[in-house]
Amino acid sequence: MKITRRSLLAGAPFAAGLLAAGLPRIAFAEAAPVKFRSLASRGSISPHELAGELGYFKGLGIEVENVGYSGGGPESLFALASGSVDIGSAATAAVINSISGGNDFVAVYPSNGINSKVRSVFYVLDDSPIKSIADIAGKTIAVNTLGAHLDYTVREALHSVGLSPDAANLVVVPGPQLEQTLRSRQVDIAALGYWQATFAGALVDNGGVRGVFNDTDVLGELAGGFVVLRRDFIAAHPDAARNFVEQSARASDWSLQNPDEARKVLATILDKRGENGELARYWTGFGLRQGAKATDRDIDFWVSVLERDGRLPKGKLKAADILYRPGETKTN
C-alpha cells in the first residue's frame, strides 16, 4: 500500500539538539542500573548501541535494551512520547516539530551527521531520464518514512530549483526492500539515507544505478538527526543521562579513529539481530564531529525552514529550549 507524504506530514514529529563542547568527566553512577529502552534501525546502529557493545556503560548504572525496530524517526518519537521506549532518534526537523507540538523532549546528542563521506543519496537506474533535481518533479521517490530527513531533503531540493516542495510523490518502502523496488521500476527514485549506507553499498555494488543528488549537496554539512530523551526521565536519572551521553560520544570518537574495527562490531550487532552482518563492510560511519559536537546551524537551519513553510511559529523555539544541559533537572 502506498502511503503518501500528505497522509502523515501534518502529524509527523521532527528533531534537533546539541551536545555541549567537550566531554565532562564521568558522572557518579546511580545506585541501581537505569534501563534505557530503544528501537533499532535495520542495517545500522546508533552511537549508544556501539557504546553498549564496546562495554562503555559497564559500572555506570546503565542498561540499554533493544525492544524492537523503528521504521523511521517519527515512529521512534511516537514511541518515546507514549512511554514505550526511553530513547528516541529522529531527523533534526522532526524533534523540533515534536517539541513545538507539546512533547517535553530534550535532544541530548547528534546521532548522525552528513558530510562529504556520510550522506543520503537519491538513486535511479542507469537508463532513467532523470538527470537533475529539476527532473524529479512529478516522479515517485521511495523513502523509509515520511515527515523525516529524506522527506525534508526532497522538499528543500525542490525549493532550491524554484519548484513546489510537494512536486514529487513520496512513498514508504522499508530499507531492505528499496533496491528491489527500484530495480522492478515500481518507483522512479530510491532514496538511501545516510543511516542506510549498508543497503546503499550493496545497491551500488550490484550495478546499473547512479546517484542524481545527495543531501549534502542540498543542505551542506550538518547534523542529520539527534538522540532524544524525555525531560522527566533526565530529571529522574541525571547521572545515568550524563553517562549515557558521554559514553555515546566516546563511542562515536572511537569509530572515527578505528573505522575497520567499528565495521566488525557492526557486523557482530547485525548478526545478533538476525540481519546480514556482511553488509557492515559498506558502513561509512556516523558522520559526526569529534566529541559528537553540533553547531548552531545544525538547529537554526531547520528552524528557519519550518518557520518559512509556516510549520513553526516564528520565535516559538530556540536551541536553549530543547538542548541537553548536564546537571539540569527541571521539568517544563
Coordinates of all heavy atoms in Angstrom, one line a residue, residues 74-160:
P74 N 9.9 9.5 13.0 CA 8.6 9.7 13.5 C 8.1 8.6 14.4 O 7.5 8.8 15.5 CB 7.7 10.0 12.3 CG 8.7 10.5 11.3 CD 10.0 9.8 11.5
E75 N 8.2 7.4 13.9 CA 7.8 6.2 14.7 C 8.5 6.2 16.0 O 7.9 5.9 17.1 CB 8.0 4.9 13.9 CG 7.5 3.7 14.6 CD 7.7 2.4 13.8 OE1 7.8 2.5 12.6 OE2 7.7 1.3 14.4
S76 N 9.8 6.4 16.0 CA 10.6 6.4 17.2 C 10.1 7.5 18.2 O 10.0 7.2 19.4 CB 12.1 6.7 16.9 OG 12.9 6.9 18.0
L77 N 9.8 8.7 17.7 CA 9.3 9.7 18.6 C 7.9 9.5 19.2 O 7.6 9.8 20.3 CB 9.4 11.1 17.9 CG 10.8 11.6 17.5 CD1 10.7 12.9 16.8 CD2 11.7 11.7 18.7
F78 N 7.1 8.8 18.3 CA 5.8 8.4 18.8 C 5.9 7.5 20.0 O 5.2 7.6 21.0 CB 5.0 7.8 17.7 CG 4.5 8.7 16.7 CD1 4.4 8.3 15.3 CD2 4.1 10.0 16.9 CE1 4.0 9.1 14.3 CE2 3.7 10.9 15.9 CZ 3.6 10.4 14.6
A79 N 6.9 6.5 19.9 CA 7.1 5.5 20.9 C 7.6 6.2 22.2 O 7.3 5.8 23.3 CB 8.1 4.5 20.4
L80 N 8.5 7.2 22.0 CA 9.1 7.9 23.2 C 8.0 8.7 23.9 O 7.9 8.7 25.1 CB 10.2 8.9 22.7 CG 10.8 9.7 23.7 CD1 11.6 8.8 24.7 CD2 11.8 10.7 23.1
A81 N 7.1 9.4 23.1 CA 6.0 10.1 23.7 C 5.1 9.3 24.5 O 4.5 9.7 25.5 CB 5.3 10.9 22.6
S82 N 4.8 8.0 24.0 CA 3.9 7.1 24.6 C 4.5 6.4 25.8 O 3.7 5.8 26.6 CB 3.4 6.1 23.6 OG 4.4 5.1 23.3
G83 N 5.8 6.5 26.0 CA 6.4 5.8 27.1 C 6.8 4.4 26.8 O 7.3 3.7 27.7
S84 N 6.7 4.0 25.6 CA 7.0 2.6 25.2 C 8.6 2.4 25.2 O 9.0 1.3 25.3 CB 6.5 2.3 23.8 OG 5.1 2.4 23.8
V85 N 9.3 3.5 24.9 CA 10.8 3.5 24.9 C 11.3 4.7 25.7 O 10.5 5.6 26.0 CB 11.4 3.5 23.5 CG1 10.9 2.3 22.7 CG2 11.0 4.8 22.8
D86 N 12.5 4.7 26.0 CA 13.2 5.8 26.8 C 14.1 6.6 25.9 O 14.5 7.7 26.3 CB 13.9 5.3 28.0 CG 13.1 4.3 28.8 OD1 12.1 4.8 29.3 OD2 13.4 3.1 28.9
I87 N 14.5 6.1 24.7 CA 15.3 6.7 23.8 C 14.6 6.9 22.4 O 14.1 6.0 21.9 CB 16.6 5.9 23.5 CG1 17.4 5.6 24.8 CG2 17.5 6.6 22.5 CD1 18.5 4.6 24.6
G88 N 14.6 8.1 21.9 CA 14.1 8.4 20.6 C 15.2 8.8 19.7 O 16.3 9.3 20.2
S89 N 15.1 8.7 18.4 CA 16.1 9.1 17.5 C 15.4 9.5 16.2 O 14.7 8.7 15.6 CB 17.1 8.0 17.2 OG 18.1 8.4 16.3
A90 N 15.6 10.8 15.7 CA 14.9 11.2 14.6 C 15.7 12.4 13.9 O 16.6 12.9 14.5 CB 13.5 11.7 15.0
A91 N 15.2 12.8 12.7 CA 15.8 13.9 12.0 C 15.7 15.2 12.8 O 14.8 15.3 13.6 CB 15.2 14.0 10.6
T92 N 16.6 16.1 12.5 CA 16.6 17.4 13.3 C 15.3 18.1 13.1 O 14.7 18.6 14.1 CB 17.7 18.2 12.7 OG1 18.9 17.5 12.8 CG2 17.8 19.5 13.6
A93 N 14.7 18.1 11.9 CA 13.4 18.8 11.7 C 12.4 18.1 12.6 O 11.4 18.7 13.0 CB 13.0 18.8 10.3
A94 N 12.5 16.8 12.8 CA 11.5 16.0 13.4 C 11.3 16.3 14.9 O 10.2 16.4 15.4 CB 11.7 14.5 13.2
V95 N 12.4 16.5 15.7 CA 12.2 16.8 17.1 C 11.7 18.2 17.3 O 11.0 18.5 18.2 CB 13.5 16.4 17.9 CG1 13.3 16.7 19.4 CG2 13.8 15.0 17.7
I96 N 12.2 19.1 16.5 CA 11.7 20.5 16.6 C 10.2 20.6 16.5 O 9.6 21.2 17.4 CB 12.4 21.4 15.5 CG1 13.9 21.5 15.6 CG2 11.8 22.8 15.5 CD1 14.5 22.2 14.5
N97 N 9.7 19.9 15.5 CA 8.2 19.9 15.4 C 7.5 19.2 16.5 O 6.4 19.6 16.9 CB 7.8 19.3 14.0 CG 6.4 19.7 13.6 OD1 6.0 20.8 13.6 ND2 5.6 18.7 13.3
S98 N 8.1 18.1 17.0 CA 7.5 17.3 18.0 C 7.5 18.1 19.3 O 6.5 18.1 20.0 CB 8.3 16.0 18.3 OG 7.7 15.2 19.2
I99 N 8.5 18.8 19.6 CA 8.6 19.7 20.8 C 7.6 20.8 20.7 O 6.9 21.2 21.6 CB 10.0 20.2 21.1 CG1 10.9 19.0 21.5 CG2 10.0 21.2 22.2 CD1 12.4 19.3 21.6
S100 N 7.6 21.4 19.5 CA 6.6 22.5 19.2 C 5.2 22.0 19.5 O 4.3 22.8 19.9 CB 6.8 23.0 17.8 OG 5.8 24.0 17.5
G101 N 4.9 20.7 19.2 CA 3.6 20.2 19.4 C 3.3 19.8 20.8 O 2.2 19.4 21.1
G102 N 4.2 20.0 21.7 CA 3.9 19.8 23.1 C 4.7 18.7 23.8 O 4.5 18.5 25.1
N103 N 5.5 18.0 23.1 CA 6.3 16.9 23.8 C 7.5 17.5 24.5 O 8.2 18.3 23.9 CB 6.8 15.9 22.7 CG 5.6 15.0 22.2 OD1 4.9 14.4 23.0 ND2 5.5 14.9 20.9
D104 N 7.6 17.1 25.8 CA 8.7 17.7 26.6 C 10.0 16.8 26.4 O 10.4 16.1 27.3 CB 8.3 17.7 28.0 CG 9.1 18.7 28.9 OD1 9.9 19.4 28.3 OD2 9.0 18.7 30.1
F105 N 10.6 16.9 25.3 CA 11.8 16.2 24.9 C 13.0 17.0 25.0 O 13.0 18.3 24.9 CB 11.7 15.7 23.5 CG 10.6 14.6 23.2 CD1 10.2 14.4 21.9 CD2 10.0 13.9 24.2 CE1 9.2 13.5 21.6 CE2 9.0 13.0 24.0 CZ 8.6 12.8 22.7
V106 N 14.1 16.3 25.2 CA 15.5 17.0 25.2 C 16.3 16.3 24.2 O 16.5 15.1 24.2 CB 16.1 16.9 26.6 CG1 17.5 17.6 26.6 CG2 15.2 17.6 27.7
A107 N 16.9 17.1 23.3 CA 17.9 16.5 22.3 C 19.2 16.4 23.0 O 19.8 17.4 23.3 CB 17.9 17.4 21.1
V108 N 19.7 15.2 23.2 CA 20.9 15.0 24.0 C 22.2 14.9 23.3 O 23.3 15.2 23.8 CB 20.7 13.8 25.0 CG1 19.6 14.1 26.0 CG2 20.4 12.5 24.3
Y109 N 22.2 14.3 22.1 CA 23.4 14.3 21.3 C 23.1 14.0 19.8 O 22.1 13.3 19.6 CB 24.5 13.3 21.8 CG 24.2 11.9 21.5 CD1 24.7 11.3 20.3 CD2 23.6 11.0 22.4 CE1 24.5 10.0 20.0 CE2 23.4 9.7 22.1 CZ 23.9 9.2 20.9 OH 23.7 7.8 20.6
P110 N 23.9 14.5 18.9 CA 23.6 14.2 17.5 C 23.9 12.7 17.2 O 24.9 12.2 17.5 CB 24.6 15.0 16.7 CG 25.1 16.0 17.7 CD 25.1 15.4 19.0
S111 N 22.9 12.1 16.6 CA 23.0 10.6 16.3 C 23.8 10.4 15.0 O 24.5 9.4 14.9 CB 21.7 10.0 16.1 OG 20.9 10.6 15.1
N112 N 23.8 11.3 14.0 CA 24.4 11.2 12.8 C 24.7 12.5 12.2 O 24.0 13.5 12.6 CB 23.6 10.4 11.7 CG 23.5 8.9 12.1 OD1 22.6 8.5 12.8 ND2 24.3 8.1 11.5
G113 N 25.6 12.6 11.2 CA 25.8 13.8 10.5 C 26.0 13.5 9.0 O 26.2 12.4 8.6
I114 N 25.8 14.6 8.2 CA 26.1 14.4 6.8 C 27.3 15.3 6.4 O 27.4 16.4 6.9 CB 24.9 14.7 5.9 CG1 24.4 16.2 6.1 CG2 23.7 13.8 6.2 CD1 23.3 16.6 5.2
N115 N 28.1 14.7 5.5 CA 29.3 15.4 5.1 C 29.7 14.8 3.7 O 28.9 14.2 3.1 CB 30.5 15.3 6.1 CG 30.8 13.9 6.5 OD1 30.8 13.0 5.7 ND2 31.0 13.7 7.8
S116 N 31.0 15.0 3.3 CA 31.4 14.5 2.0 C 31.5 13.0 1.9 O 31.5 12.4 0.8 CB 32.8 15.1 1.6 OG 33.7 14.7 2.6
K117 N 31.5 12.3 3.1 CA 31.7 10.9 3.1 C 30.4 10.2 3.6 O 30.2 9.0 3.2 CB 32.9 10.5 4.0 CG 34.2 11.0 3.5 CD 35.3 10.5 4.4 CE 36.7 11.0 3.9 NZ 37.8 10.6 4.8
V118 N 29.7 10.8 4.5 CA 28.5 10.2 5.0 C 27.3 11.0 4.6 O 27.1 12.2 4.9 CB 28.5 10.1 6.6 CG1 27.3 9.5 7.1 CG2 29.8 9.4 7.0
R119 N 26.4 10.4 3.7 CA 25.4 11.2 3.1 C 24.3 10.3 2.6 O 24.5 9.2 2.4 CB 25.9 12.1 2.0 CG 26.7 11.4 0.9 CD 27.5 12.3 0.1 NE 28.2 11.5 -1.0 CZ 29.0 12.1 -1.9 NH1 29.1 13.4 -1.9 NH2 29.6 11.4 -2.8
S120 N 23.1 10.9 2.4 CA 22.0 10.2 1.8 C 22.0 10.5 0.3 O 22.2 11.6 -0.2 CB 20.7 10.8 2.3 OG 20.7 10.8 3.8
V121 N 21.8 9.4 -0.5 CA 21.9 9.5 -2.0 C 20.6 9.1 -2.6 O 19.9 8.1 -2.2 CB 23.0 8.7 -2.5 CG1 23.1 8.8 -4.0 CG2 24.4 9.1 -1.9
F122 N 20.1 9.8 -3.6 CA 18.9 9.5 -4.4 C 19.3 8.9 -5.7 O 19.9 9.5 -6.6 CB 18.1 10.8 -4.6 CG 17.6 11.4 -3.3 CD1 18.4 12.1 -2.4 CD2 16.2 11.3 -3.0 CE1 17.9 12.6 -1.3 CE2 15.7 11.8 -1.9 CZ 16.5 12.5 -1.0
Y123 N 19.0 7.6 -5.8 CA 19.5 6.7 -6.9 C 18.4 6.5 -7.9 O 17.2 6.4 -7.6 CB 19.9 5.4 -6.3 CG 21.2 5.4 -5.5 CD1 21.2 5.4 -4.2 CD2 22.4 5.4 -6.2 CE1 22.4 5.4 -3.4 CE2 23.6 5.4 -5.5 CZ 23.6 5.4 -4.1 OH 24.7 5.4 -3.4
V124 N 18.8 6.4 -9.2 CA 17.9 6.0 -10.3 C 18.6 4.9 -11.0 O 19.9 4.7 -10.9 CB 17.6 7.2 -11.2 CG1 16.9 8.3 -10.5 CG2 18.9 7.7 -11.8
L125 N 17.9 4.2 -11.9 CA 18.5 3.2 -12.8 C 19.3 3.9 -13.9 O 19.0 5.1 -14.2 CB 17.4 2.3 -13.4 CG 16.6 1.5 -12.4 CD1 15.5 0.7 -13.2 CD2 17.5 0.5 -11.7
D126 N 20.3 3.3 -14.4 CA 21.2 3.9 -15.4 C 20.5 4.5 -16.6 O 20.9 5.5 -17.1 CB 22.3 2.9 -15.9 CG 23.5 2.8 -14.9 OD1 23.6 3.8 -14.1 OD2 24.2 1.8 -15.0
D127 N 19.4 3.8 -17.0 CA 18.7 4.3 -18.2 C 17.6 5.3 -17.9 O 16.8 5.7 -18.8 CB 18.1 3.1 -19.0 CG 17.1 2.3 -18.2 OD1 16.8 2.7 -17.0 OD2 16.5 1.3 -18.7
S128 N 17.5 5.8 -16.7 CA 16.5 6.8 -16.3 C 16.7 8.1 -16.9 O 17.9 8.5 -17.1 CB 16.5 6.9 -14.7 OG 15.7 8.0 -14.4
P129 N 15.7 8.8 -17.4 CA 15.8 10.1 -17.9 C 16.1 11.2 -16.9 O 16.4 12.3 -17.2 CB 14.5 10.4 -18.6 CG 13.5 9.6 -17.8 CD 14.3 8.3 -17.4
I130 N 16.0 10.8 -15.6 CA 16.2 11.8 -14.5 C 17.7 12.1 -14.4 O 18.5 11.2 -14.1 CB 15.7 11.3 -13.2 CG1 14.2 11.0 -13.3 CG2 15.9 12.2 -12.1 CD1 13.6 10.2 -12.2
K131 N 18.1 13.4 -14.6 CA 19.5 13.8 -14.6 C 19.8 14.8 -13.5 O 21.0 15.0 -13.2 CB 19.9 14.3 -15.9 CG 19.6 13.4 -17.1 CD 20.5 12.2 -17.2 CE 20.3 11.4 -18.4 NZ 21.1 10.2 -18.4
S132 N 18.8 15.5 -13.0 CA 19.0 16.6 -12.1 C 17.8 16.7 -11.1 O 16.8 16.1 -11.3 CB 19.2 17.9 -12.9 OG 17.9 18.3 -13.5
I133 N 18.0 17.6 -10.2 CA 16.9 17.8 -9.2 C 15.6 18.3 -9.9 O 14.5 17.9 -9.6 CB 17.3 18.9 -8.1 CG1 18.4 18.3 -7.2 CG2 16.2 19.3 -7.3 CD1 19.0 19.2 -6.3
A134 N 15.8 19.1 -10.9 CA 14.6 19.7 -11.6 C 13.8 18.5 -12.2 O 12.6 18.7 -12.4 CB 15.0 20.7 -12.7
D135 N 14.4 17.4 -12.6 CA 13.8 16.3 -13.2 C 12.9 15.5 -12.3 O 12.2 14.6 -12.7 CB 14.8 15.4 -13.9 CG 15.5 16.1 -15.1 OD1 14.9 17.0 -15.6 OD2 16.6 15.7 -15.3
I136 N 13.1 15.7 -10.9 CA 12.3 14.8 -10.0 C 10.9 15.2 -9.8 O 10.1 14.5 -9.2 CB 13.0 14.7 -8.6 CG1 12.9 16.0 -7.8 CG2 14.5 14.3 -8.8 CD1 13.4 15.9 -6.4
A137 N 10.5 16.4 -10.3 CA 9.1 16.9 -10.2 C 8.2 15.9 -10.9 O 8.5 15.4 -12.1 CB 9.0 18.2 -10.9
G138 N 7.2 15.5 -10.3 CA 6.2 14.5 -10.8 C 6.6 13.1 -10.7 O 5.9 12.2 -11.1
K139 N 7.8 12.8 -10.2 CA 8.3 11.4 -10.1 C 8.0 10.8 -8.7 O 7.7 11.5 -7.8 CB 9.8 11.4 -10.4 CG 10.2 12.0 -11.7 CD 9.6 11.2 -12.9 CE 10.2 11.6 -14.2 NZ 9.9 13.0 -14.6
T140 N 8.1 9.5 -8.7 CA 7.8 8.8 -7.4 C 9.1 8.4 -6.8 O 10.0 7.8 -7.4 CB 7.0 7.5 -7.7 OG1 5.8 7.9 -8.3 CG2 6.7 6.8 -6.4
I141 N 9.3 8.8 -5.5 CA 10.5 8.6 -4.7 C 10.2 7.7 -3.5 O 9.3 8.0 -2.7 CB 11.1 9.9 -4.3 CG1 11.3 10.9 -5.4 CG2 12.4 9.6 -3.5 CD1 11.8 12.2 -5.0
A142 N 11.0 6.6 -3.4 CA 10.8 5.7 -2.3 C 11.7 6.2 -1.1 O 12.9 6.4 -1.3 CB 11.2 4.3 -2.7
V143 N 11.1 6.3 0.0 CA 11.8 6.7 1.3 C 11.4 5.8 2.4 O 10.4 5.1 2.3 CB 11.5 8.2 1.7 CG1 12.0 9.1 0.6 CG2 10.0 8.4 1.9
N144 N 12.2 5.7 3.4 CA 11.9 4.8 4.5 C 10.7 5.2 5.4 O 10.0 4.4 6.0 CB 13.1 4.5 5.4 CG 13.5 5.8 6.3 OD1 13.7 6.9 5.7 ND2 13.5 5.6 7.6
T145 N 10.5 6.5 5.5 CA 9.4 7.0 6.2 C 9.1 8.4 5.8 O 9.9 9.0 5.1 CB 9.7 7.0 7.8 OG1 8.5 7.3 8.5 CG2 10.7 8.1 8.1
L146 N 7.9 8.9 6.2 CA 7.5 10.3 5.8 C 7.7 11.2 7.0 O 7.8 10.8 8.1 CB 6.1 10.3 5.4 CG 5.7 9.4 4.2 CD1 4.2 9.5 3.9 CD2 6.5 9.7 3.0
G147 N 7.8 12.5 6.7 CA 7.9 13.5 7.7 C 9.3 13.5 8.4 O 9.4 14.0 9.6
A148 N 10.3 13.0 7.8 CA 11.6 12.9 8.4 C 12.7 13.4 7.4 O 12.4 14.2 6.5 CB 11.9 11.5 8.8
H149 N 14.0 13.0 7.6 CA 15.1 13.6 6.9 C 15.0 13.6 5.4 O 15.2 14.6 4.7 CB 16.4 12.9 7.3 CG 17.6 13.5 6.7 ND1 18.2 14.7 7.2 CD2 18.4 13.1 5.7 CE1 19.2 15.0 6.4 NE2 19.4 14.1 5.5
L150 N 14.7 12.4 4.8 CA 14.6 12.3 3.4 C 13.5 13.1 2.8 O 13.6 13.8 1.7 CB 14.5 10.8 3.0 CG 15.7 10.0 3.3 CD1 15.4 8.5 3.0 CD2 17.0 10.4 2.6
D151 N 12.4 13.1 3.5 CA 11.2 13.9 3.1 C 11.6 15.4 3.0 O 11.4 16.1 2.0 CB 10.1 13.7 4.1 CG 8.7 14.3 3.7 OD1 8.7 15.3 2.9 OD2 7.7 13.8 4.2
Y152 N 12.2 15.9 4.0 CA 12.6 17.3 4.0 C 13.7 17.7 3.1 O 13.8 18.8 2.6 CB 12.8 17.8 5.5 CG 11.5 18.3 6.1 CD1 10.6 17.4 6.6 CD2 11.2 19.6 6.0 CE1 9.4 17.9 7.1 CE2 10.0 20.1 6.5 CZ 9.1 19.2 7.1 OH 7.9 19.7 7.6
T153 N 14.6 16.7 2.9 CA 15.6 16.9 1.9 C 15.0 17.1 0.5 O 15.4 18.0 -0.3 CB 16.6 15.7 1.8 OG1 17.3 15.6 3.1 CG2 17.7 15.9 0.8
V154 N 14.0 16.3 0.2 CA 13.3 16.4 -1.1 C 12.7 17.8 -1.2 O 12.8 18.5 -2.3 CB 12.3 15.3 -1.3 CG1 11.4 15.6 -2.6 CG2 13.0 13.9 -1.5
R155 N 12.0 18.2 -0.2 CA 11.3 19.5 -0.2 C 12.3 20.6 -0.4 O 12.1 21.6 -1.2 CB 10.6 19.7 1.1 CG 9.5 18.7 1.4 CD 8.8 18.8 2.7 NE 8.1 20.0 2.8 CZ 6.9 20.2 2.4 NH1 6.2 19.2 1.9 NH2 6.2 21.4 2.6
E156 N 13.5 20.6 0.3 CA 14.5 21.6 0.1 C 15.1 21.5 -1.2 O 15.5 22.6 -1.8 CB 15.6 21.5 1.2 CG 15.1 22.0 2.6 CD 14.6 23.4 2.5 OE1 15.5 24.3 2.2 OE2 13.4 23.6 2.7
A157 N 15.3 20.3 -1.8 CA 15.9 20.2 -3.1 C 15.0 20.9 -4.2 O 15.4 21.6 -5.0 CB 16.1 18.7 -3.5
L158 N 13.7 20.6 -4.1 CA 12.7 21.2 -5.0 C 12.7 22.7 -4.8 O 12.6 23.5 -5.8 CB 11.3 20.6 -4.8 CG 11.2 19.1 -5.2 CD1 10.0 18.5 -4.7 CD2 11.2 19.0 -6.8
H159 N 12.7 23.2 -3.6 CA 12.7 24.6 -3.3 C 13.9 25.3 -3.9 O 13.8 26.4 -4.4 CB 12.6 24.8 -1.8 CG 12.7 26.3 -1.4 ND1 11.7 27.1 -1.4 CD2 13.8 27.0 -0.9 CE1 12.1 28.3 -1.0 NE2 13.3 28.3 -0.7
S160 N 15.0 24.6 -3.9 CA 16.3 25.2 -4.4 C 16.3 25.4 -5.9 O 17.1 26.3 -6.3 CB 17.5 24.3 -4.0 OG 17.5 23.1 -4.8

